[in-house]
Amino acid sequence: MGRIKKIVLERELDERLRWLISIRWFAATGVFFVILGTRYLLKIHLELLPLFAGTLALLIYNTVFYYINRRLILRRGQDSWFPMATRSANLQISIDLFLLAYFIHFAGGLENPFIFYFIFHMVIASMLLSNTAAYFQASLAVLLLTGIGVLECTGVLMHHHLEGFIPHTSCLVNPTYNIGVLIIASSTLYITVFLTTTIVNRLRKGERSILLATERLAQQDRTKSEYVKKVSHDIQSSLSTIQTCLQVVLDGTTGNIPDKSREMIARAEKRSELLIKFVKDLLNLSSIRARSKMDMQVISLKNTLERLVDQNLILAREKNQSISMHINQHHWVRVNTFAIEELVMNLIANAIRYTPPGGRITVQTESNNDSEVLVSVADTGIGIPEKELPNIFQDFYRAKNARTTEKSGTGLGLSIAKQIVESHHGRIWAESRLGQGSTFYFTLPKAQTN
Ligand code: ADP
């Protein structure tokens, strides 16, 4: 349970920290336009300079936290990540509260209805932080509001009246009004934290039990794959022995055999070869599924793909096909080299098998965005019927036209490919036009090279 809880909390905090930073950009833009609108459209008197300075401060510290968060992400998975991320979240919300108090002070103090915007911070704090920390932030907000009220009313801080919004005397000469606002605002903040934390705690509990069940299923799946792996391994060694024996007989080493028997043995040998290929694929797939961790290396995709295309040149030439590459840049990825070779080999082998003589195969890479590389293997082959396209990554699935064109096939190559890509946190999909060709795409996360 400890590990699951950690995973849920880490993922949640990471997502919400990013979300918090992204909504702050909108908040800064919103504040800017509200200041302008209030001043020039509603003609309410505002101290523009300190308010714009506050907006600038908001932009600056959000930029700082954006970069801090990017550095923090590199540490995800390490023990130090969670306490550091929690500290950052606490600090960010406290600074937000101070800034909101600053805005409120320069725009009317407790007479400004925007004091109720503290509620948003309470909701965010309850979602992002522990219950205790959320109540701490609520107390800080109450303290700040009380500070504004007391310091402005006692004249320690200057009161910046919202001229044109409410009559001048309303709050300063009326302590009952101030106390009333403070009591209502404070209780609203505490009640908000109480309600939000109650809901969030319930949701977290639900999410945790789902994750626990998922983790258990994954464990069972790995046990099953481990079993299939062992069985296929045993079958494969027996089959290889059978095939070797048949080959020895066919070679004539054991003496002459009648033509009829030779034909039957040759057929048996061919069948055992297909069976070996099938069991090998099964073994491969279950090995990948049974593995929870892989050895990873940082490699250049360009070099690996060039090597794999070279290895397939002869096969393509035999079918009078051209095979070309469009890779003009090194993309560094952190992968298990054997698995990635297997994946690309499967896709190129399929492209060659399902493309008639004279066709074209193209391997390409491009930067999908800052964090991903997109690899494509395109062919001008038989294509895949539109209706069958969603099924081709399922175990043992073979499209109807493929079964007619190519009798021998296990329907496991793309399952292996999908498994490999997903274990590298990438995506794989295909686009195809029947009779015109197919393109298989997959993405891999770029390696952090700094
Ligand atoms: P196999 O090729 O052994 O049948 P795969 O899992 O590699 O198994 O592929 C599954 C199915 O996807 C194939 O049977 C075929 O219908 C379709 N397919 C895969 N690659 C291509 C391709 N390049 N062109 C057309 N169809 C393809």
Side-chain angles (χ1 to χ4, degrees):
M1 186 63 185
R3 202 174 75 86
I4 303 285
K5 188 175 168 187
K6 194 170 164 240
I7 293 172
V8 179
L9 291 179
E10 269 193 19
R11 210 191 53 195
E12 204 178 79
L13 186 58
D14 182 31
E15 276 171 13
R16 287 180 182 164
L17 267 179
R18 280 190 240 187
W19 167 79
L20 180 63
I21 290 169
S22 64
I23 58 165
R24 232 185 251 118
W25 302 124
F26 291 107
T29 320
V31 169
F32 179 74
F33 285 110
V34 167
I35 296 171
L36 285 185
T38 313
R39 178 71 187 85
Y40 296 107
L41 293 178
L42 302 176
K43 308 263 187 249
I44 296 172
H45 174 76
L46 281 181
E47 304 278 349
L48 288 184
L49 200 65
L51 293 180
F52 282 137
T55 317
L56 188 66
L58 177 61
L59 286 173
I60 293 173
Y61 80 73
N62 203 35
T63 313
V64 172
F65 279 116
Y66 172 78
Y67 282 104
I68 291 180
N69 206 39
R70 276 183 60 158
R71 293 221 76 76
L72 260 181
I73 285 170
L74 299 180
R75 290 178 182 242
R76 244 195 101 173
Q78 295 176 11
D79 285 345
S80 58
W81 184 85
F82 197 76
M84 283 170 87
T86 316
R87 266 202 298 276
S88 163
N90 262 308
L91 185 65
Q92 289 187 46
I93 293 174
S94 298
I95 296 178
D96 284 339
L97 291 179
F98 273 103
L99 191 71
L100 182 57
Y102 169 90
F103 276 124
I104 298 279
H105 163 63
F106 279 103
L110 296 189
E111 70 189 32
N112 189 333
F114 275 106
I115 58 168
F116 283 97
Y117 270 37
F118 275 104
I119 290 178
F120 297 143
H121 295 77
M122 295 306 103
V123 174
I124 294 171
S126 310
M127 283 161 50
L128 215 64
L129 310 173
S130 67
N131 293 359
T132 325
Y135 280 108
F136 167 80
Q137 297 291 354
S139 308
L140 177 63
V142 170
L143 203 74
L144 287 167
L145 280 175
T146 317
I148 293 173
V150 171
L151 296 177
E152 284 189 14
C153 286
T154 51
V156 177
L157 279 182
M158 190 187 152
H159 175 67
H160 300 272
H161 175 61
L162 287 178
E163 193 76 58
F165 182 59
I166 49 172
H168 194 268
T169 55
S170 65
C171 101
L172 282 178
V173 294
N174 190 351
T176 333
Y177 171 83
N178 267 350
I179 294 169
V181 167
L182 275 176
I183 292 174
I184 301 293
S186 309
S187 55
T188 310
L189 295 184
Y190 282 118
I191 292 171
T192 308
V193 171
F194 172 72
L195 292 179
T196 321
T197 47
T198 311
I199 297 168
V200 168
N201 288 347
R202 269 195 206 151
L203 290 177
R204 276 184 190 153
K205 221 169 145 190
E207 197 179 353
R208 254 172 245 159
S209 54
I210 292 173
L211 258 155
L212 193 65
T214 317
E215 176 77 2
R216 274 204 198 116
L217 279 177
Q219 184 53 44
Q220 279 171 9
D221 207 40
R222 277 199 290 275
T223 315
K224 186 199 74 191
S225 301
E226 194 62 51
Y227 175 73
V228 177
K229 187 179 131 189
K230 277 196 189 109
V231 174
S232 356
H233 187 264
D234 290 350
I235 299 176
Q236 193 198 356
S237 11
S238 305
L239 275 173
S240 301
T241 318
I242 295 172
Q243 195 190 28
T244 317
C245 293
L246 293 174
Q247 275 165 352
V248 171
V249 178
L250 278 177
D251 285 352
T253 322
T254 53
N256 281 343
I257 39 168
D259 283 352
K260 201 71 197 153
S261 307
R262 169 178 294 279
E263 197 193 316
M264 297 305 280
I265 295 170
R267 273 166 65 182
E269 196 268 339
K270 183 80 196 141
R271 276 300 164 118
S272 63
E273 190 186 318
L274 292 179
L275 218 54
I276 288 175
K277 159 92 178 90
F278 174 74
V279 176
K280 259 190 189 154
D281 277 356
L282 205 58
L283 183 62
N284 232 328
L285 187 60
S286 34
S287 301
I288 301 168
R289 283 187 179 155
R291 222 169 13 208
S292 53
K293 266 202 168 156
M294 287 193 285
D295 292 335
M296 303 293 233
Q297 304 86 33
V298 175
I299 59 160
S300 151
L301 258 187
K302 187 172 193 277
N303 296 349
T304 310
L305 293 176
E306 273 170 358
R307 190 159 35 80
L308 297 175
V309 166
D310 273 355
Q311 285 173 21
N312 279 287
L313 274 179
I314 299 176
L315 209 63
R317 267 193 212 127
E318 275 172 8
K319 278 191 81 176
N320 197 22
Q321 294 163 339
S322 73
I323 179 162
S324 60
M325 289 212 320
H326 295 294
I327 307 174
N328 40 24
Q329 208 187 332
H330 280 286
H331 292 294
W332 298 95
V333 283
R334 190 176 177 77
V335 292
N336 176 281
T337 318
F338 293 117
I340 292 303
E341 285 180 4
E342 171 96 36
L343 153 72
V344 177
M345 278 306 238
N346 272 343
L347 296 183
I348 298 180
N350 275 352
I352 294 176
R353 283 164 76 208
Y354 298 117
T355 300
R360 248 178 308 112
I361 291 148
T362 318
V363 179
Q364 223 168 323
T365 65
E366 60 189 270
S367 212
N368 205 18
N369 52 41
D370 271 1
S371 56
E372 272 185 347
V373 191
L374 177 71
V375 183
S376 63
V377 178
D379 63 55
T380 55
I382 60 169
I384 302 161
E386 202 184 329
K387 263 198 192 150
E388 299 193 71
L389 198 57
N391 304 329
I392 56 169
F393 291 97
Q394 287 171 17
D395 291 2
F396 307 114
Y397 194 88
R398 302 198 68 210
K400 202 167 170 206
N401 63 339
R403 277 181 273 143
T404 340
T405 323
E406 187 69 47
K407 290 270 178 298
S408 66
T410 61
L412 287 174
L414 289 183
S415 302
I416 296 175
K418 185 168 185 271
Q419 197 67 43
I420 293 174
V421 172
E422 286 176 357
S423 59
H424 285 83
H425 309 289
R427 292 166 291 129
I428 184 164
W429 70 98
E431 287 171 6
S432 186
R433 274 178 166 251
L434 193 59
Q436 294 187 22
S438 316
T439 306
F440 283 82
Y441 298 92
F442 68 88
T443 62
L444 289 175
K446 284 182 187 169
Q448 301 278 354
T449 43
N450 56 346

